[in-house]
Amino acid sequence: LSFFRAARKINPNIRVLFMSGYSEDHQPELHESAEGRNYLQKPFTVSALCSRIREILDSPSGSIATTSV
């Protein structure tokens, strides 16, 4: 998260996808934060990863609402 914040200072339009290995009942606070809007919960399929990357790249701001996969 600190790397993302530092990178965003350099490039405010940076596009990121956060992912975690935490179980659904123990998700980090990132999931609820504004930076966590591009969050993908593990485990996920290659198809889900590719779809999420495409959504982020195609969105005007690079930020999409979190959806369950």
Side-chain angles (χ1 to χ4, degrees):
L1 190 53
S2 60
F3 175 79
F4 164 72
R5 288 181 178 146
R8 177 147 272 170
K9 286 180 183 177
I10 296 167
N11 180 357
N13 298 317
I14 194 167
R15 294 167 189 247
V16 299
L17 174 61
F18 294 98
M19 57 187 81
S20 173
Y22 290 100
S23 65
E24 288 185 25
D25 59 335
H26 180 100
Q27 294 187 14
E29 58 195 58
L30 169 67
H31 184 64
E32 301 299 324
S33 71
E35 290 97 352
R37 290 177 57 197
N38 292 341
Y39 180 86
L40 187 59
Q41 176 69 40
K42 290 181 182 177
F44 51 81
T45 64
V46 172
S47 177
L49 175 62
C50 291
S51 293
R52 184 58 66 99
I53 291 170
R54 177 53 37 209
E55 289 175 11
I56 293 168
L57 291 175
D58 289 345
S59 68
S61 67
S63 184
I64 59 171
T66 302
T67 56
S68 54
V69 176

